Amino acid sequence: MMKKILCSAIVLALVGCKTPQATLPQDPVKATLPTQYQADSLALPHSSLTPWRQFFTDPTLVALIDTALTNNQDLRITLQQIAVAKSDVLYRSGRLLPTVTAGGGVGVDKAGRYTSEGAGNATTEIKPGKAMPDPLMDYNLGLQADWEVDLWHKLSSEKRAAVEHYLASVEGRNAVLSSLIAQVASNYYQLLALDNKLDLIHQYIDLQTKAVEIAKIQKSADADTELAVQKFEAELAKARSDEYTLRQELTETENALNLLLGRYPSTIQRDKTVFLSASLQHVLTGVPAELLDNRPDIRQAEHELAAARWNVEAARKEFLPSLNISAALGLDAFNPAYLTKLPKSLAFSVVGGLTAPLINRTAIQANFQSADAQQLQALCEYDKTLLTAYSEVCTLMSKIQNLGRYYELKQQESETLDKSVEVARALYLNGRANYLDVLMDQRDALDARMELLEARQQQLASTVDIYRSLGGGWK
């Protein structure tokens, strides 16, 4: 009696003891999120993030994105991560329910004759005149149930953590989707830019070849020196080397795009003439608070933070007593023929136990401290993701504005140099300028066009980037 009272007192003491308290992290970054973007001239009260099929109007680009969404390996990996997370949710849900197993067994028991059990069996008759079998067989069929009662909602906390991990994996897939579409578009525009640059470099090589020929003619006529010839030959060699640099960039960009499409390197059919006429979509930035709903990486970090908090709650409840119930129901007899003789062959048992850690709780304490540290880490990751998102949008807004002005000035420069070429030709026809002057003006005009192509490619890439940074591309 005293033993039972002592055990009850210990259990009550364990139930009443205080569990360690987790660090309750705040969200300083989210709380101080600015109400508008820095130098916000594009923002309106609400952003208008259109679905990617409406944002990208080039049919070739849309077809490439469709291929990437079907074959990209990173996207397939994230789908399997979602499946793993979903299975974990089912596993945690299953732990809330009793485990029931069915089975049967055969055993034999031989007690020593000079033991209390052996002496009792020797003097016991199963039926009048029929002694207890020796050795004694044991045949059984039945059901076994085990259940850990979710007394303190520890298992429920683990399930909620698993659900948050699942939701985070779904948002992770959306983040990969958004990034994938942006990468395909950026590589596609870069391919078109390189195609046009290669055409320009070919024109440049033709001009330099003519310049070398004219320089040699003038040298032979004593109108110029060997230095001029060498200078133009060096320019020609440089132009030819630039051609191979461009060809390598084309190969690398095309292979990178094929990798995103989930296929081996192959030629990507495209129309390079649409590059300069490609329409730039107008992206409305809205307000920074919309990033919390639109950007999948922020939503993913938020779910991971919620999962970390539930993991801390589950780890904290490991210090509390756990209630386990086991029950068995079946048929048991020393002879198979007696198994069907009910209710004599019927056997059952019910056992309930309340256990709690008392001595050496180091492992539980370490697990709790680890979960608490992971919670703080998840908070830092969330704050970092939010800061990065806001900074990306501000940087890209400034870049788009500056690139727009830069492109306008480069366009003016290119148009002016094209006019200067016409003027140089007119002067040459009137004998007021030599042909080398015309070639030099043409070279300057081609250089300006090259820079104009680069500015256009950066404009398109920046538009794609800000569309992704605002959370577009996954819907």
Side-chain angles (χ1 to χ4, degrees):
M1 184 66 181
M2 288 299 297
K3 190 179 294 185
K4 291 183 179 180
I5 294 174
L6 181 60
C7 291
S8 300
I10 292 175
V11 170
L12 290 175
L14 290 171
V15 173
C17 68
K18 289 186 177 181
T19 57
Q21 295 301 311
T23 306
L24 298 177
Q26 301 299 319
D27 257 338
V29 173
K30 183 177 179 180
T32 59
L33 187 67
T35 57
Q36 65 179 14
Y37 294 106
Q38 186 182 26
D40 194 354
S41 62
L42 299 177
L44 289 179
H46 298 284
S47 64
S48 57
L49 293 180
T50 57
W52 69 265
R53 290 186 183 275
Q54 299 176 22
F55 185 80
F56 300 107
T57 56
D58 187 334
T60 303
L61 176 56
V62 171
L64 291 174
I65 292 175
D66 278 328
T67 302
L69 296 181
T70 303
N71 301 329
N72 183 262
Q73 299 302 318
D74 289 333
L75 195 55
R76 290 183 173 182
I77 291 172
T78 59
L79 292 177
Q80 298 310 309
Q81 291 173 346
I82 291 175
V84 171
K86 186 176 181 180
S87 298
D88 190 46
V89 173
L90 295 176
Y91 169 74
R92 300 295 177 182
S93 299
R95 289 194 61 192
L96 290 167
L97 302 175
T99 301
V100 180
T101 58
V106 178
V108 61
D109 185 23
K110 173 67 171 69
R113 176 65 178 81
Y114 301 110
T115 63
S116 59
E117 182 180 357
N121 290 341
T123 58
T124 302
E125 295 181 345
I126 297 178
K127 293 181 179 180
K130 187 174 182 181
M132 180 77 71
D134 189 21
L136 185 65
M137 298 298 295
D138 184 30
Y139 300 89
N140 62 79
L141 294 171
L143 301 175
Q144 175 73 35
D146 296 286
W147 184 28
E148 181 181 352
V149 181
D150 195 16
L151 195 60
W152 313 106
H153 303 292
K154 179 190 72 174
L155 300 179
S156 298
S157 298
E158 293 177 352
K159 177 187 174 182
R160 291 183 179 181
V163 170
E164 292 295 341
H165 278 305
Y166 168 73
L167 295 175
S169 67
V170 173
E171 295 299 340
R173 179 256 183 191
N174 293 336
V176 170
L177 188 62
S178 178
S179 177
L180 173 62
I181 292 174
Q183 289 181 63
V184 171
S186 295
N187 279 276
Y188 173 73
Y189 290 137
Q190 186 175 357
L191 267 184
L192 297 183
L194 290 172
D195 287 338
N196 285 272
K197 287 181 181 179
L198 194 60
D199 288 344
L200 281 180
I201 206 69
H202 288 158
Q203 297 178 34
Y204 191 74
I205 289 173
D206 291 340
L207 289 175
Q208 291 301 321
T209 302
K210 292 178 182 179
V212 170
E213 293 173 355
I214 293 173
K216 287 181 178 179
I217 293 172
Q218 289 185 340
K219 176 180 175 293
S220 62
D222 292 331
D224 213 335
T225 63
E226 178 66 22
L227 180 62
V229 176
Q230 292 178 355
K231 178 180 178 181
F232 285 112
E233 286 180 342
E235 286 288 333
L236 178 59
K238 180 179 181 300
R240 286 175 173 169
S241 66
D242 289 341
E243 177 188 3
Y244 288 102
T245 300
L246 282 176
R247 289 187 181 277
Q248 179 60 28
E249 289 182 17
L250 266 172
T251 300
E252 292 176 359
T253 304
E254 198 168 41
N255 289 347
L257 185 51
N258 277 306
L259 181 61
L260 293 172
L261 301 180
R263 65 191 188 191
Y264 291 105
S266 59
T267 302
I268 294 177
Q269 301 299 327
R270 69 258 188 195
D271 182 8
K272 59 187 176 184
T273 61
V274 304
F275 177 66
L276 288 175
S277 61
S279 60
L280 288 171
Q281 296 286 352
H282 185 59
V283 180
L284 303 178
T285 58
V287 294
E290 289 180 313
L291 293 175
L292 302 176
D293 295 324
N294 293 336
R295 281 199 46 143
D297 57 340
I298 294 178
R299 294 161 63 94
Q300 180 184 14
E302 190 171 6
H303 285 302
E304 291 291 359
L305 178 58
R309 287 171 173 169
W310 283 115
N311 281 331
V312 169
E313 189 66 15
R316 186 178 67 84
K317 291 173 181 177
E318 288 285 351
F319 290 92
L320 299 174
S322 59
L323 176 60
N324 295 276
I325 299 176
S326 297
L329 176 65
L331 304 175
D332 196 3
F334 66 86
N335 190 321
Y338 295 153
L339 288 176
T340 57
K341 295 184 177 298
L342 297 175
K344 294 182 179 181
S345 61
L346 184 65
F348 66 87
S349 66
V350 178
V351 178
L354 191 65
T355 59
L358 183 60
I359 300 175
N360 192 10
R361 302 194 298 175
T362 305
I364 301 176
Q365 184 69 35
N367 182 55
F368 173 78
Q369 292 174 351
S370 174
D372 195 28
Q374 289 174 6
Q375 177 184 212
L376 294 175
Q377 180 183 355
L379 176 64
C380 293
E381 290 287 348
Y382 176 76
D383 288 344
K384 178 184 176 182
T385 304
L386 192 54
L387 284 170
T388 302
Y390 179 82
S391 178
E392 280 182 0
V393 175
C394 290
T395 301
L396 288 169
M397 286 172 59
S398 175
K399 186 176 182 180
I400 287 175
Q401 293 172 6
N402 292 327
L403 279 175
R405 184 58 181 157
Y406 177 81
Y407 183 82
E408 291 175 0
L409 294 174
K410 281 297 175 183
Q411 202 168 28
Q412 293 178 13
E413 179 188 1
S414 180
E415 292 172 355
T416 302
L417 289 173
D418 287 341
K419 292 177 182 178
S420 71
V421 171
E422 297 300 325
V423 173
R425 285 175 180 170
L427 291 174
Y428 171 74
L429 293 175
N430 292 321
R432 298 176 61 185
N434 59 45
Y435 193 61
L436 284 178
D437 293 332
V438 178
L439 291 177
M440 292 301 97
D441 285 339
Q442 288 178 330
R443 184 186 68 176
D444 292 339
L446 288 176
D447 286 341
R449 290 180 195 170
M450 188 74 76
E451 293 175 351
L452 190 65
L453 288 174
E454 292 177 356
R456 184 63 172 180
Q457 190 266 328
Q458 291 183 35
Q459 272 190 313
L460 292 169
S462 298
T463 303
V464 172
D465 286 341
I466 197 168
Y467 176 66
R468 176 196 57 80
S469 295
L470 290 169
W474 58 273
K475 295 182 181 179

